[in-house]
Each structure stands twice: as C-alpha cells, then as structure tokens.
Amino acid sequence: MVGGLRIRGIRKSFGDLEVLRGVDLDVAPGEVVCVIGPSGSGKSTLLRCVNHLEPVDAGFVQVDDVLVGYEHRDGRLYESAERDIARSRRRMGMVFQQFNLFSHLTAVRNVTLGPVRVLGRDAGEAEREARELLARVGLAAHADKLPAQLSGGQQQRVAIARAMAMKPSVMLFDEPTSALDPELVGEVLMVMRDLASQGMTMVVVTHEIAFAHEVADTVVFMDDGVVVESGPAAQVLLSPRSERTAAFLAHVRRPRKEHDHA
Amino acid sequence: MLDTLHTLEVVRRRGFVSRWVLGAVLVAVVGWLACTVAASPNLEWTVVGQYFFSTPVVAGVGVTLVLTFATLGIGLVLGACLAMMMQSRNPVLSAAASGYVWFFRGVPLVVQIVFWFNLSLLFPTVGFTPTNQLITPFLAALLGLGLHEAAYLAEIIRGGFLAVPRGQVDAALTIGMTRSVATRMIVLPQSIRVILPALGNQFILILKGTSLVSVIGGGDLMTRAQQIYGQNYQVIALLLVATGWYLVLVTVAGVGQRFLERWAVS
C-alpha cells in the first residue's frame, strides 16, 4: 500500500500523564485526513509519534507497509538504529506550527539541504527542482531570501516545499496555520489544497474547520488521547455521532462564523 | 502665550557641568599617577625604547601569537567535540566530556603547564623516544594551554547549542538527518552568532594566558622579558615593554572581534 499510513494502538505518556491512550488510524493512499480536537487532546503528539520524533510506549506506525522506528523480531518491536530511523522518516514530510525553517539558510537552501545532504542528489539538479517547488508555492521571487526576510505565510510555504523536496509518501501538518496572522492563513491553505488535489496523502492537525470540510476525505475528532469519532468529513462535521464532537464543533464555530474559504 | 509656545527653540538638558568636573578630576588623578611613574629616576625610558623592537622581544611576540592561535585551534576543535559529546544521549560520552571539563577547568593553568613540562618524571620514555626530547617547552606550553582552553570553549559552545531552538533539530530530523548530522549542519552554524562574543573574550584571555608559559621558559614575550631583565636588572622597564606589546595585541584583537561580530550578524 504505497502512500498509505497505518497507525495501531499508539500509547504515549510523559511522566504520569498519558497523552495518547491507544490510537488507531488508517490513511489510504491519496487520502486527506484532518484531525481536530481541543488543545491537549494529543493531536500534535500523535503526529510526532508517527514520524518517531517521540518514541511510542506501545503500538506501531507503518508507512508504505514499512514499520517506522522499529524492527519486528522474535515477537517484539525493537527500536531501530538511528540511521534506519532517519531513513524511514524520509517517507514522511512534516510541516510545523512554528515553520522551523533553518534560519541561517536561504529559502532555496532550506529546500535543497535534504535532497543534497541526505539523499546525496546532485546539487545543481536539486537546486533546479527546489526553485520549481518554490515557484509552485508562489515564491519564485523569494528563493534567495533568508527566513527572517519572509512573512509567516511565506515561511510556511517554504517549509511545505522543503518537505515536498524529499518526495515523501505522506505529508504531516501540525497546525500549519495556527501561528499565522489571519490574513496569511489563506495562502498556506491554498498550497495545501493544491497538494491534496494532486493526490498527496495528508494528515492535517488543524483548527480550520472550513478547510477540513472542504478538503478532507476523513475527519477525525480526538479528545483526551483517543479517537472519539472518525468518518467522512461532511458526516463528522455536520452530523456528529458523539456528543463531545458536537460540543467541540459548536464551541469552535461560535466565535468565527464567517470562515475564510479563500 | 500658548499659541506661540510651539515656535520656541527646544534645548535639551546636557549636564555639562558635571561632565567637566568629573573629567577634570579624572585627568588630574591619572595624569599625576602617570607623571609620577614616568618621572621616576629609577625608570629608564631609554631601556624601554631600546628593547621594544629588539630581536628577542619581537621573536617572543611571534611565539606568543603562534601559541595563542594554536591554542585557539586546539581548543575550538576539541571544545566542539566535547560540546557535542555533552549533548549526546550516550551516557558514557556525556559523562566523559563532563569529566574532562570538570578536571581541566578545575586545575590551574600554571599547574598543568608545569606538569606537561615535567612529564618525563612520570614517563621517562614515550615508545623508544626519551620524553624530554619529545616534550619541548613549546610543546608542553601548547598541551597545557590547549587542553585547558578546550574545557572553557566546550562550555561556551555548549551554551551556543542551547540557544538554538529545539524546532530546528526537529525539522532537521524530519528531512531524514541523523542527530549528529543535524548538530553539524544546523545547530553548529546557528550557534556561532551566540558563541562569537564570548569567543572574542576568550581569545584575549588566551593571549594573556600564554604569559604563564614563562614559568617553563616557553620562549614567549614574557619569557624573553624575564630573560633580559635577569641579566640587566631593568625589571620595570622590561615589564613595560611586555605591557606595551600585550596592549597592542589585545587592541588589535578587540578590533578584529568587532569586525567578526558584524560579519556574523549580517
């Protein structure tokens, strides 16, 4: 199942606090899944566990049918060597709430660093592709600027290009628009919508209910470290089965009714 | 009256009187001290002039500079390795690096220099070579200074690492880098901006610290000054020669530091 993601029984505690209490999630190739839920529900931790930025306490993650961060041997899951973990992470691109662009490198160097240093690609060829990617996210003119010279929305679009340059099977978005000024949210969502329409497998942790409604195939509502409800976007968002989902949706919809559909 | 007020000239408060009084007092005190020292019949200015550019003194300045840069080089390479080890998740590596810093920062520099110089008392031979032949005063000086300085620079570099936001490493890991590659490619270059001001300070400390190698006859500026006043007893004059040179070198280093910092920020 190339391009698919399988999450099974993920548990994760920080000290005494159990943040994830057994999460299952399947994402089919080309599917867009939006994960919504109140803050502290474990959405971001789930993404960090999926690409092994946080090692899990139990459960496993598979991308393209390959285990992430662990090897299956003698009836146990052994954590892989760091080199192998790094190798399996390449199958997933990640976009962070705070962009996390490499602040000492220009936009185009941010994008080429992975292909050149990690994949060993030819520098000239990588740069040509990087400029193409930056053009696709509307930043051809800003390729040689440092992150500090770019707006938040532009930085986030560079971050998406950086992740895409590794040609991942799955893209993970951790609240990609939460740190942006309201007028910059639209440009980032537009790039994400574009990716989704090209058949990219995506898991998006977001508070943008309108975006989820429009772009997601599946919406997952998480609360208190478990998946409370998941299903087709329209069903979960318009006629939720769980009372907790309904309460959450009522709460987030009330303050901003007219939502940016950009 | 109010409608003409905006046309009046604005005079800012300057505090001229206190500046002049304070300045005059300072000039008087420092001037009196300088004159007293300079006019002392026991201080031979001709001797200062005679030795300032003399061959042994200039050669000593050369040795001081070589020792300073070599120490900085050893300290930076070893210090960067130690800083990375201290960040390591491997408890053996981090404990070893912390232990190194604890020891070499804890033992006075002069003790370390004298120890390396007298290594032959502990190990008469290294392989088949007599230790005394191997450990020249210069090499003993370099070992003492370099190993000592690495401990300080390790702490400075580690502080620089800590100033780099965690998200930078997360981002590096997600594009498939290992932790050690991320440290070299992402964390190290970004920490330079934080490290540089402290490094300039440390450079000046090293520059002056090299004078301690005079206790083993390391051949630096201070060694030469001592050798000369050991023969002609013009102690103060030759200390002034050394002082003048150290101040010149430190001044140049300070200017260089400003340039480097400006370059790093841009």
Side-chain angles (χ1 to χ4, degrees):
Chain A
M1 184 172 80
V2 170
L5 180 66
R6 189 178 291 125
I7 300 170
R8 286 283 186 280
I10 294 284
R11 286 180 175 276
K12 175 71 186 176
S13 301
F14 294 104
D16 288 337
L17 182 69
E18 196 170 28
V19 181
L20 297 176
R21 301 184 295 136
V23 175
D24 298 326
L25 185 63
D26 280 302
V27 185
E31 189 180 0
V32 176
V33 174
C34 282
V35 182
I36 59 172
S39 56
S41 57
K43 306 168 307 239
S44 292
T45 305
L46 177 65
L47 281 197
R48 293 176 63 84
C49 285
V50 165
N51 65 6
H52 204 74
L53 282 181
E54 300 287 353
V56 297
D57 298 333
F60 69 84
V61 175
Q62 279 182 320
V63 179
D64 309 335
D65 293 325
V66 176
L67 272 176
V68 177
Y70 296 89
E71 276 152 45
H72 185 198
R73 248 185 297 130
D74 332 319
R76 289 201 180 88
L77 291 177
Y78 291 94
E79 189 169 15
S80 307
E82 217 206 321
R83 188 169 294 276
D84 297 325
I85 296 174
R87 191 177 291 273
S88 55
R89 276 203 192 102
R90 293 183 209 160
R91 297 175 183 276
M92 290 167 282
M94 181 139 175
V95 174
F96 300 87
Q97 184 178 352
Q98 300 294 340
F99 331 134
N100 295 349
L101 288 185
F102 304 129
S103 57
H104 63 305
L105 300 175
T106 59
V108 67
R109 293 278 160 261
N110 264 278
V111 181
T112 55
L113 190 66
V116 173
R117 291 286 162 174
V118 177
L119 302 179
R121 298 270 309 281
D122 172 70
E125 193 188 326
E127 172 155 353
R128 200 175 46 74
E129 275 181 33
R131 289 186 188 276
E132 249 165 55
L133 273 169
L134 286 172
R136 260 177 64 189
V137 299
L139 292 174
H142 300 284
D144 296 299
K145 290 189 181 164
L146 286 169
Q149 297 168 303
L150 300 172
S151 73
Q154 291 168 335
Q155 288 191 51
Q156 194 60 301
R157 286 185 279 156
V158 175
I160 294 172
R162 173 176 70 182
M164 290 300 297
M166 298 297 289
K167 301 193 166 65
S169 303
V170 178
M171 284 283 284
L172 310 172
F173 294 85
D174 185 8
E175 303 195 21
T177 57
S178 297
L180 295 175
D181 290 337
E183 77 272 20
L184 303 177
V185 168
E187 63 191 57
V188 172
L189 293 183
M190 196 148 69
V191 168
M192 292 170 63
R193 201 176 287 127
D194 192 37
L195 277 185
S197 69
Q198 286 160 21
M200 189 75 213
T201 313
M202 293 163 61
V203 180
V204 186
V205 169
T206 187
H207 292 298
E208 300 290 335
I209 304 297
F211 174 80
H213 194 173
E214 181 200 344
V215 178
D217 301 302
T218 304
V219 168
V220 173
F221 174 69
M222 273 182 78
D223 194 10
D224 207 16
V226 292
V227 171
V228 175
E229 178 167 2
S230 92
Q235 180 256 303
V236 175
L237 295 174
L238 297 179
S239 47
R241 290 200 191 93
S242 155
E243 264 175 47
R244 278 150 81 188
T245 315
F248 171 77
L249 287 170
H251 188 73
V252 292
R253 274 184 180 141
R254 202 182 313 132
R256 26 181 187 169
K257 221 166 55 193
E258 277 307 309
H259 215 283
D260 174 24
H261 261 271
Chain B
M1 189 193 135
L2 266 180
D3 30 306
T4 56
L5 213 52
H6 68 278
T7 62
L8 301 181
E9 187 191 353
V10 175
V11 181
R12 298 191 57 186
R13 191 176 171 75
R14 293 256 171 88
F16 272 125
V17 178
S18 60
R19 282 182 207 184
W20 279 108
V21 170
L22 208 63
V25 169
L26 203 64
V27 166
V29 170
V30 174
W32 175 77
L33 273 173
C35 288
T36 321
V37 172
S40 163
N42 302 321
L43 177 56
E44 310 235 3
W45 282 102
T46 50
V47 180
V48 175
Q50 181 191 336
Y51 281 105
F52 204 85
F53 291 107
S54 67
T55 315
V57 167
V58 172
V61 171
V63 172
T64 291
L65 282 175
V66 170
L67 273 177
T68 303
F69 282 104
T71 300
L72 185 71
I74 294 172
L76 276 179
V77 172
L78 194 56
C81 292
L82 287 166
M84 286 188 216
M85 284 167 71
M86 282 193 278
Q87 297 285 83
S88 167
R89 294 184 162 189
N90 182 335
V92 179
L93 284 182
S94 65
S98 302
Y100 179 98
V101 170
W102 168 77
F103 184 80
F104 282 89
R105 207 170 53 164
V107 179
L109 178 53
V110 74
V111 175
Q112 295 186 40
I113 291 171
V114 174
F115 169 80
W116 290 114
F117 186 59
N118 290 292
L119 193 64
S120 63
L121 300 178
L122 199 56
F123 304 106
T125 58
V126 174
F128 293 102
T129 326
T131 306
N132 270 336
Q133 235 172 60
L134 197 70
I135 303 279
T136 60
F138 181 81
L139 192 61
L142 203 55
L143 276 171
L145 285 164
L147 298 181
H148 178 258
E149 207 49 47
Y152 278 93
L153 289 175
E155 283 293 287
I156 289 174
I157 294 171
R158 190 176 67 90
F161 285 179
L162 292 180
V164 176
R166 239 207 79 85
Q168 294 284 319
V169 176
D170 283 347
L173 294 179
T174 56
I175 58 169
M177 288 190 181
T178 58
R179 224 160 251 286
S180 60
V181 174
T183 302
R184 268 186 289 125
M185 302 286 312
I186 306 299
V187 178
L188 194 60
Q190 288 190 32
S191 60
I192 283 175
R193 193 177 293 205
V194 181
I195 292 171
L196 217 49
L199 199 61
N201 201 38
Q202 206 62 26
F203 181 82
I204 288 169
L205 284 175
I206 299 171
L207 180 62
K208 293 183 300 170
T210 55
S211 62
L212 283 175
V213 309
S214 61
V215 296
I216 58 165
D220 73 314
L221 174 58
M222 189 59 199
T223 308
R224 306 298 168 116
Q226 280 184 343
Q227 283 167 351
I228 297 167
Y229 71 59
Q231 287 165 8
N232 66 7
Y233 303 108
Q234 293 284 351
V235 178
I236 300 294
L238 278 137
L239 286 184
L240 272 179
V241 170
T243 301
W245 272 112
Y246 281 119
L247 284 177
V248 167
L249 297 180
V250 167
T251 306
V252 172
V255 172
Q257 182 188 0
R258 290 279 168 273
F259 271 108
L260 264 179
E261 281 172 21
R262 205 170 303 164
W263 164 80
V265 167
S266 64

